[in-house]
């Protein structure tokens, strides 16, 4: 029986710790604010943006919402970012992705002042992480490190395997595990014998975007399994979405020593770490 890593509980603990820090900063006269920009009205993005606003309210961070129409031009978006970069009363800037096809995402990410890049997507933030310098870290991988540490699992010296090499999860995840002194391997769609590699993992992080792809055959006895995937598999009789991850939970749970569920594992940590980055922004901007 694996220990279930409760991301909902751990994210709540983090948010409560941040709430106290924010209250202490406010007592010193420092208010934190996050600008959240959404272009168009993609349904999933609206849900994420709504959750980010709610988390800000809970913690005591002021959120400035910019809901821009789908037709917004790249130049208009860049101009808004430029204005927010210059505003001393704005600590963090987040542009919800994906952006409409006519806007160059890379250009937009690069336009954000690295000192306000609370998503940690700016090339300077990514570079700083890779050479161990101060900067914002991408929220999902940072949340995974918190999940592992707060579950009492030591990363140092462990065989860590990351499946997936995205800029937002896989690559920064590898860097963070390395920073924690793990021995890290990154696998991807061209990995010759994926099973042979994942079977070596003491800590296995899966972010490939394929429902229930990782079955028990891929997992070593006693491994810690972190599932970053989230897929909607249908709707239950009571009208609730049926969700699953990249890991076949029922198949892997009996083999693993610890595992994150979907939902309620990695998901809630992303927003908690975004809030953490907003609080850290005050220190970075000093
Ligand atoms: N779209 C999906 N995940 C994210 C995220 O973490 N940040 C932003 N800005 N957009 C996203």
């Amino acid at each position: 029986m694996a220990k279930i890593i409760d991301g909902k509980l751990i994210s709540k603990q983090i948010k409560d710790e941040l709430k106290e820090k924010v209250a202490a900063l406010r007592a010193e006269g420092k208010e934190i604010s996050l600008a959240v920009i959404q272009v168009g009205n993609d349904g999933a993005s609206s849900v994420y943006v709504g959750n980010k606003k709610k988390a800000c309210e809970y913690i005591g961070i002021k959120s400035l919402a910019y809901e821009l129409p789908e037709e917004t031009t790249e130049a208009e978006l860049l101009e808004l970012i430029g204005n927010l970069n210059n505003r001393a009363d704005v600590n963090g800037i987040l542009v919800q992705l994906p952006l409409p096809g006519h806007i160059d995402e890379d250009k937009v990410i690069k336009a954000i002042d690295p000192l306000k890049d609370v998503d940690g997507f700016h090339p300077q933030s990514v570079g700083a992480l890779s050479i161990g310098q101060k900067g914002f870290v991408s929220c999902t991988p940072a949340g995974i490190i918190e999940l592992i540490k707060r579950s009492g699992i030591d990363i140092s010296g462990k065989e860590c395997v990351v499946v997936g090499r995205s800029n937002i999860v896989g690559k920064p995840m590898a860097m963070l595990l390395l920073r924690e002194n793990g021995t890290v391997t990154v696998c991807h769609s061209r990995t010759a014998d994926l099973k042979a590699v994942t079977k070596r993992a003491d800590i296995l992080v899966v972010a490939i975007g394929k429902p229930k792809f990782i079955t028990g055959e891929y997992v070593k006895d006693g491994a810690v399994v972190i599932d970053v995937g989230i897929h909607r598999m249908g709707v239950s009789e009571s009208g609730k979405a049926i969700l699953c991850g990249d890991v076949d939970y029922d198949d892997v749970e009996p083999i693993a020593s610890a595992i994150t569920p979907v939902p309620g594992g990695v998901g809630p940590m992303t927003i908690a770490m975004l809030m953490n980055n907003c609080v850290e922004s005050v220190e970075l901007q000093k």
Side-chain angles (χ1 to χ4, degrees), residues 37 45 48 52 94-98 119 121 138-140 168 270:
I37 305 170
S45 288
Y48 290 137
K52 287 169 188 175
L94 181 148
V95 180
Q96 187 65 30
L97 304 178
D119 254 332
F121 294 168
S138 181
C139 302
T140 301
I168 294 180
T270 301

Side-chain angles (χ1 to χ4, degrees), residues 205-216:
V205 181
V206 189
I208 42 175
K210 290 183 185 165
K212 297 191 184 184
F213 183 88
I214 297 292
T215 57

Side-chain angles (χ1 to χ4, degrees), residues 35-39 66 68 77 80-81 84 93-96:
V36 179
I37 305 170
Q38 184 181 357
V39 184
Y66 293 88
L68 309 181
L77 179 57
L80 171 61
I81 293 170
L84 294 168
I93 303 170
L94 181 148
V95 180
Q96 187 65 30

